[in-house]
Amino acid sequence: MTTSEPLLTLEGVTKQYASASAPTLVDLDLTLDRGEFFSLIGSSGCGKTTTLKLVSGLEQPTSGRIVLDGVDISRVPSHKRPVHTVFQNYALFPHMSVADNIAFGLKQADVPRRSIRGKVDEAVEMVGLQASTHAKPGELSGGMQQRVALARALVLEPKILLLDEPLGALDLQLRHQMQMALKEIQRATGVTFLYVTHDQEEAFTMSDRIGFMHAGELVQVAPPTQMYHQPGNARVADFVGTANTFPVLSKDDATVVAEHFKLPAAEVAQVPDAAGTAAPDGWVVVVRPESLRVLGPASPRPCVCLEGTVADLSFKGSYTSVKVTLPSGDLVANADLRTATGLALGEPVRLGFDAQDAWVCPAVPAA
Amino acid sequence: MLVDDRPDAGATRPPTSQTTPPARRSPATRVGSALGGLLAMVPTWLLVVVLFLVPIVFLAVASLATFNWDTGKLDWVLTFENYTELFRSSTFVAFKNSIFLSVVATIACVLIGYPIAYAISLTSGRAQKLLLLAVITPFWTAFVVRVYAWLTLLGPGDLVPWMLSLTGLTSSDLDLTYTNTAVLIGIVYCYLPLSILPVYSVLEQIDRNLVLAAYDLGYSPAKAWFKVTLPLSLPGVAVSALLVGIPCLGEYTIPAVLGGGKTLMIGNLVTNAFTGTGNYAAGAAIAMLLLAVILVANWGPRGIAALVRLATRVLTRSAA
């Protein structure tokens, strides 16, 4: 993504289904740049799939505008939008061969009959399905069906490709392969991707930017690293990875005070413009498990030191996840192999972190 | 690490033969379970043989026997006379009527039934249950009563002629009773539910996302219907056509009541032979011919296709 030229803008989009009591989307503002890989994440029911349907035209917004490439498409029916979708369960036409599925959209578009063949061949090659063009979707594996769905939408050269949890039905290894393949294809074609998933790791792996949604609202839009290290609030922090949170008792320009420790306000990172950000439920200090170090007797003393007992050890391969019980609650820290060998269940342990690795953001009401 | 670093990995394991019985079953148990499987099939096979095969064999044997006009019974003298007797104009007319009426009725049932099935598939919840109930309810009233009821709608000045007269093509004095048209109307009316239900069940199973995908790929709702919904519902149409067409061929109540005995179908010939003259041999021969017609209609095209495939394979092989 070299330029940041807006391609799609959602302006104050609200969606109220007749059957639902609360609106599914509330006053959503979102801008996608040309050529970027943008992911919407959030737990089920947060409105991410509805957002996708509004962009594809399969649903109409109750209010608000959707502008694509300078044209208001809010009221344009789905079949006239230059936007195509890879559906969650692929939605391949079972009565057509792979080649016919891919050619389906082209036959409808103003594409000369002669060039359809060439375009289909190109698309088939892009997704590596040369050997299966005559097969019916039912004869293909899940991963191959996924590729057909991708080719079928991409062959129409959409201004935006919408992907609705396309890898959800695949096993883990295949999912990793497809993530790499999707990223490569996105780079090669330069098509703007709007990707919906509940898997934050998947979003991190592929996206240029991520939008986190909750209860019909867009909580935070940020590049993956920023969303992980500087989450907009405690809910984002928790969704995009394991988060140790400490309620902030008081906070001023000099210090941030939590139950067990104080942090110098100048050193700890905070949500930008923290003073102006509304935090009706107070603030929390967020520390990621990898920033929480298990301290040996000779370790240099970090900024904050906490003492507890080891409640659980789970071996994760490259590190060991240590659950530590404190009087105020449980923490999770990642210990490297050497540190972990010195730990035993029920034994006392000291944990520490530096102010630079902590992050202060608004708390959220308990669910 | 590929090396097993436990010094005596094998020896520490308990000897399996002592703690658990061997996993493999002896040949005797395998034969036993296969026998058990066969035994479980016996009731099914008995039903098929007793209820389907035996009667057909009886019928085939009876069709080759001689009817004794004096005693009114069958003499077990082998003859093909019952079949040669079939080459008469009355049989041909009955066959012609049966095939013509069942083809037209099947087409009409599919053309009328499909839109109804599609409309029902578009509804949901309580409305859908009510509509399905409306389709099925006629099955709960006596078939003959429903057929007779039509006689009161088809006479001069009755509902159907009056409605037809609104087109200006016919007079409301038109008498449709005891005509081929009456038989056709009766058949279409009686078999319509059978043509609706299979199409409905197939339409209902079509993944809604396929239609949405067609919209998404640039197809207007009408075009998407023709390219996706219609082709995917054709198996249901085929089942409908079979469910209507085959029983239609053997139909005898409707032509007897609404055709007043003027429109003879094969079913009527069979009924006449069995209950009229008591000539079981002649009735059996007609029934066998009907069976042959249905089998040929059902398997003929497939058989021809298989023969063509076989022939081309043999020819290409001999050419090579």
Side-chain angles (χ1 to χ4, degrees):
Chain A
M1 192 181 50
T2 47
T3 59
S4 61
E5 177 194 351
L7 176 66
L8 175 82
T9 319
L10 274 67
E11 296 168 6
V13 169
T14 295
K15 176 66 184 176
Q16 169 79 59
Y17 285 102
S19 55
S21 54
T24 306
L25 288 182
V26 190
D27 199 18
L28 193 79
D29 288 312
L30 174 66
T31 301
L32 256 64
D33 292 332
R34 194 180 297 277
E36 81 172 323
F37 196 130
F38 190 98
S39 294
L40 280 175
I41 60 172
S43 45
S44 62
C46 69
K48 55 192 193 301
T49 297
T50 302
T51 308
L52 208 65
K53 283 184 174 165
L54 290 175
V55 177
S56 75
L58 294 175
E59 295 287 353
Q60 312 299 323
T62 312
S63 63
R65 277 186 357 131
I66 300 172
V67 180
L68 176 64
D69 225 356
V71 181
D72 184 346
I73 57 163
S74 314
R75 301 288 150 193
V76 175
S78 173
H79 64 274
K80 290 186 179 151
R81 294 190 187 187
V83 164
H84 303 294
T85 308
V86 176
F87 286 80
Q88 189 165 13
N89 292 316
Y90 322 132
L92 299 178
F93 304 115
H95 56 301
M96 297 178 197
S97 69
V98 167
D100 288 341
N101 263 284
I102 296 172
F104 189 75
L106 291 170
K107 285 178 183 161
Q108 174 56 32
D110 293 328
V111 178
R113 213 150 256 288
R114 274 172 296 130
S115 57
I116 288 183
R117 182 81 197 255
K119 280 175 183 281
V120 169
D121 287 346
E122 232 172 81
V124 163
E125 202 174 322
M126 177 182 67
V127 295
L129 283 171
Q130 293 91 324
S132 318
T133 47
H134 298 294
K136 292 276 170 71
E139 300 160 14
L140 303 179
S141 69
M144 289 161 98
Q145 293 186 26
Q146 217 281 314
R147 287 161 187 265
V148 178
L150 190 64
R152 184 178 70 174
L154 272 177
V155 78
L156 296 171
E157 295 163 18
K159 286 191 173 165
I160 300 179
L161 183 73
L162 308 174
L163 302 102
D164 185 6
E165 306 222 9
L167 309 183
L170 304 181
D171 61 53
L172 193 64
Q173 205 179 354
L174 200 53
R175 207 148 69 207
H176 286 317
Q177 284 176 16
M178 280 309 296
Q179 287 170 8
M180 292 302 134
L182 278 176
K183 203 171 170 178
E184 268 170 36
I185 287 170
Q186 196 266 338
R187 281 197 190 135
T189 57
V191 172
T192 309
F193 276 32
L194 176 52
Y195 193 98
V196 159
T197 178
H198 61 263
D199 182 345
Q200 95 285 350
E201 221 179 291
E202 197 166 289
F204 282 166
T205 308
M206 297 184 289
S207 314
D208 296 313
R209 286 194 306 153
I210 298 176
F212 176 84
M213 293 186 70
H214 177 75
E217 292 186 53
L218 200 55
V219 178
Q220 186 180 13
V221 175
T225 47
Q226 193 188 338
M227 182 160 283
Y228 184 76
H229 292 294
Q230 305 178 351
N233 66 27
R235 185 174 282 115
V236 183
D238 199 44
F239 189 88
V240 300
T242 311
N244 296 302
T245 52
F246 305 91
V248 171
L249 302 177
S250 68
K251 180 164 98 71
D252 57 31
D253 290 346
T255 44
V256 175
V257 182
E259 193 176 341
H260 300 291
F261 56 85
K262 285 180 192 159
L263 295 170
E267 278 180 50
V268 64
Q270 302 193 31
V271 163
D273 193 22
T277 307
D281 298 292
W283 300 84
V284 287
V285 176
V286 174
V287 182
R288 295 288 180 196
E290 61 273 22
S291 304
L292 210 52
R293 293 195 308 276
V294 174
L295 302 176
S299 300
R301 202 180 151 74
C303 172
V304 171
C305 189
L306 302 164
E307 288 183 7
T309 49
V310 178
D312 191 29
L313 291 166
S314 23
F315 179 60
K316 301 283 189 188
S318 58
Y319 66 94
T320 297
S321 173
V322 188
K323 192 167 140 191
V324 176
T325 304
L326 260 59
S328 58
D330 288 347
L331 295 181
V332 178
N334 293 351
D336 61 32
L337 284 178
R338 198 171 304 158
T339 317
T341 46
L343 296 175
L345 287 182
E347 296 292 314
V349 65
R350 288 196 310 141
L351 299 172
F353 66 90
D354 294 319
Q356 297 94 304
D357 294 331
W359 168 248
V360 177
C361 66
V364 289
Chain B
M1 199 185 292
L2 289 170
V3 184
D4 190 348
D5 56 355
R6 289 170 300 175
D8 48 358
T12 52
R13 265 182 238 136
T16 46
S17 58
Q18 282 173 16
T19 51
T20 50
R24 259 172 291 152
R25 283 188 289 171
S26 69
T29 30
R30 260 180 292 160
V31 169
S33 72
L35 253 181
L38 279 178
L39 272 176
M41 300 283 285
V42 165
T44 314
W45 285 109
L46 266 182
L47 272 179
V48 170
V49 169
V50 172
L51 295 180
F52 293 95
L53 278 180
V54 170
I56 289 176
V57 170
F58 274 8
L59 210 59
V61 171
S63 74
L64 297 171
T66 312
F67 181 65
N68 189 324
W69 290 95
D70 300 326
T71 61
K73 289 189 173 158
L74 295 183
D75 291 340
W76 298 106
V77 181
L78 184 71
T79 174
F80 286 98
E81 204 176 303
N82 298 312
Y83 287 97
T84 53
E85 275 288 302
L86 290 178
F87 289 93
R88 278 198 320 210
S89 61
S90 66
T91 326
F92 278 116
V93 169
F95 264 93
K96 195 200 76 187
N97 280 342
S98 285
I99 290 169
F100 174 75
L101 279 172
S102 72
V103 167
V104 175
T106 304
I107 293 169
C109 276
V110 167
L111 289 182
I112 300 170
Y114 193 105
I116 298 175
Y118 186 66
I120 297 175
S121 77
L122 290 182
T123 61
S124 60
R126 178 174 288 212
Q128 189 170 56
K129 277 189 193 126
L130 273 175
L131 287 171
L132 283 175
L133 197 67
V135 171
I136 298 164
T137 309
F139 284 125
W140 298 340
T141 43
F143 173 66
V144 180
V145 173
R146 282 187 289 133
V147 177
Y148 266 106
W150 273 98
L151 280 179
T152 67
L153 299 173
L154 296 170
D158 289 338
L159 187 68
V160 175
W162 174 75
M163 284 174 73
L164 288 175
S165 74
L166 294 180
T167 63
L169 296 173
T170 61
S171 139
S172 65
D173 293 336
L174 183 73
D175 187 1
L176 286 174
T177 54
Y178 312 127
T179 59
N180 266 355
T181 313
V183 176
L184 187 64
I185 290 174
I187 290 178
V188 170
Y189 162 75
C190 288
Y191 287 93
L192 195 55
L194 292 180
S195 73
I196 295 173
L197 295 176
V199 176
Y200 158 78
S201 89
V202 169
L203 284 171
E204 189 69 11
Q205 281 164 26
I206 294 177
D207 183 358
R208 169 89 188 130
N209 278 332
L210 295 178
V211 180
L212 295 183
Y215 297 169
D216 186 83
L217 293 166
Y219 282 69
S220 66
K223 282 183 181 160
W225 188 87
F226 277 106
K227 287 288 181 185
V228 177
T229 310
L230 180 64
L232 287 176
S233 66
L234 287 180
V237 173
V239 173
S240 278
L242 278 180
L243 278 183
V244 173
I246 289 177
C248 252
L249 279 176
E251 183 56 55
Y252 74 93
T253 318
I254 299 169
V257 174
L258 296 176
K262 280 197 284 176
T263 303
L264 279 185
M265 292 177 69
I266 309 166
N268 304 105
L269 288 190
V270 177
T271 322
N272 288 349
F274 277 100
T275 64
T277 57
N279 188 344
Y280 284 24
I286 304 169
M288 291 307 289
L289 185 59
L290 181 58
L291 182 65
V293 167
I294 291 171
L295 288 183
V296 167
N298 197 17
W299 282 320
R302 252 177 287 173
I304 291 167
L307 276 178
V308 168
R309 268 200 306 275
L310 189 72
T312 43
R313 205 181 305 155
V314 169
L315 283 177
T316 48
R317 195 173 298 166
S318 61

